[in-house]
Structures are given as C-alpha cells and as structure tokens.
Amino acid sequence: MRRTRFLLIIGMCLLSFFSTVNAEEVVKEKEPHRFGVGISYDFKNRIRREMHPIEFTIRYKLPERHTFYLNVPLGWRKWKDSYTVAGYDTHKMRLYGLGIGYDYTIAGCKHLELFAGGGFEYQWLNHRNQTISHEETKSVERSKFNDYAIYPKVGLRYTWRFVGAELDYRFYISERAMEGDYYGRNTFRGMSGYGAHSHHSFHCGIYFLF
C-alpha cells in the first residue's frame, strides 16, 4: 500500500513537472520576437543610378502589427569606363546615410504579411570623376550630394521562427543639394545646385529576430 502511494506521488510529481515545462514552451512559442537586425539590397539608388547601396537595419516590433526601424545605407563603388577616342574615365563613389521608419501589417496569414508604411532618410554621396586622355592630360570633376527624403512604402514579409525576408517598394520625395568643382588644363570652376526630386526603388532583405 505504501509502495503504491509512493509511486502515485512520484507519478503526480513527474506529471506536474512535464506539464509545467510544456506550458512554458507553449508560452515561449507564442511570445513574439520584438528586436531584429537585418541587411537589404537597394536595386536603384535615388541619387545615382550607378550606385546600389547595402542597407543595415535595426527593428523593434510592437504587438501585433506595428514595427519601428532604424536603417543605415552604405555604398562604395569604383570603376573605369571603356576606352574612347579621347581617352577614358575613372569613377569613385562613396555613400553614407541614416533613416527612421515605421510599417503597419495590413493583413497576414500564418508566416506571410502584407505591410505598408513610410519613413525619413538622409543620404550623403561623394562622386569623383577623372578623365585621362591619350595625351596624358587630366581633368577631375568632384561632386557632393546631400539628400533628404520622405517616402511611403508597401511590401511583403515572410517570417519563420527567428528568420524573416521581405521585399518592399518605396517612392522617394527628396530635397537635394549639390556642390562640386572641376579641374582641367588651366581651368577651374565651381558648381552648385538645389532642387526637389522624386524616385522609386525596390529593396530586398533578410533579418534575424531575437
């Protein structure tokens, strides 16, 4: 009799232990991942078509449909144009930026979400263009761009456990200031400009949640 009671007590303790562990696992599965870090590719930069920056993102999600993020676009490119009758050109580009944004999940089914939102972003780009002729003469043109933009966006997001991927479309409306200079043989001139621009772009990225 005592042995039976002892086994019953042990069995109830084990059952209670496994029930508690299972309940904790279920709660953990239902708890949303709030923070995330990611990286995306910009198919078409708004300042220069030749530049396709990489964008690093830190995000924070509020239950259940709201997401805030901080993004940092970075870009670097160096190339040389094909030889022509006059000579050839070399190019160097550098881009830095910082932005903030928000998106709202309009609809979702299991792992897939349709979202819309918008943001504000600043980009600085430096472009150095050097022309070298066959007569060994050189001319250098340098230009710097400061670009402030707001944009609406819409996209699709797929999330599985702690990994996600998304594709979004953005329409930029920006104010851009440009300044630069040109050096040639016995020639120097300064350049400046300011104006409003609009531009569209696609971003594709992947992120990790924790």
Side-chain angles (χ1 to χ4, degrees):
M1 192 67 173
R2 292 180 180 178
R3 184 177 180 181
T4 303
R5 289 180 181 178
F6 178 75
L7 292 175
L8 285 173
I9 293 172
I10 295 297
M12 291 179 67
C13 290
L14 291 174
L15 181 62
S16 176
F17 172 76
F18 286 117
S19 298
T20 303
V21 171
N22 183 63
E24 290 179 354
E25 289 180 353
V26 170
V27 171
K28 288 181 180 179
E29 289 179 358
K30 291 183 178 180
E31 288 180 354
H33 297 283
R34 297 186 180 273
F35 289 95
V37 293
I39 184 172
S40 65
Y41 179 77
D42 185 350
F43 286 96
K44 189 178 181 182
N45 181 254
R46 66 175 182 266
I47 304 178
R48 277 289 183 266
R49 294 182 180 180
E50 301 89 350
M51 175 68 71
H52 301 277
I54 299 296
E55 184 176 286
F56 297 93
T57 306
I58 301 174
R59 64 181 65 207
Y60 179 76
K61 186 172 185 179
L62 291 173
E64 293 177 343
R65 297 175 178 266
H66 309 277
T67 302
F68 297 89
Y69 61 87
L70 175 72
N71 62 294
V72 180
L74 299 173
W76 168 266
R77 190 182 175 194
K78 179 180 178 181
W79 78 97
K80 181 170 66 174
D81 288 339
S82 301
Y83 279 89
T84 64
V85 176
Y88 63 93
D89 291 347
T90 61
H91 301 265
K92 289 182 180 180
M93 281 187 179
R94 290 178 296 162
L95 181 143
Y96 307 95
L98 182 65
I100 57 174
Y102 162 81
D103 62 63
Y104 176 79
T105 300
I106 302 172
C109 57
K110 202 170 184 180
H111 302 293
L112 189 64
E113 296 178 351
L114 171 66
F115 64 87
F120 170 81
E121 188 174 284
Y122 164 76
Q123 285 190 6
W124 175 86
L125 183 141
N126 186 356
H127 181 195
R128 184 178 186 273
N129 177 23
Q130 179 175 270
T131 301
I132 302 175
S133 69
H134 295 301
E135 290 79 18
E136 298 299 325
T137 58
K138 296 181 181 179
S139 62
V140 178
E141 181 180 335
R142 293 179 297 189
S143 53
K144 297 179 181 179
F145 297 85
N146 288 283
D147 190 277
Y148 300 86
I150 58 173
Y151 60 89
K153 72 173 185 177
V154 63
L156 289 173
R157 177 186 298 128
Y158 181 84
T159 308
W160 184 73
R161 294 187 178 180
F162 60 89
V163 181
E166 66 182 38
L167 173 68
D168 67 71
Y169 165 80
R170 305 180 188 182
F171 183 77
Y172 291 97
I173 303 170
S174 63
E175 289 284 343
R176 184 180 309 163
M178 186 274 286
E179 60 181 18
D181 48 58
Y182 173 84
Y183 293 89
R185 176 181 289 182
N186 303 320
T187 304
F188 169 79
R189 69 174 184 267
M191 300 177 292
S192 63
Y194 183 83
H197 301 266
S198 61
H199 179 73
H200 62 89
S201 179
F202 286 94
H203 286 69
C204 182
I206 186 171
Y207 59 89
F208 301 92
L209 301 168
F210 54 91

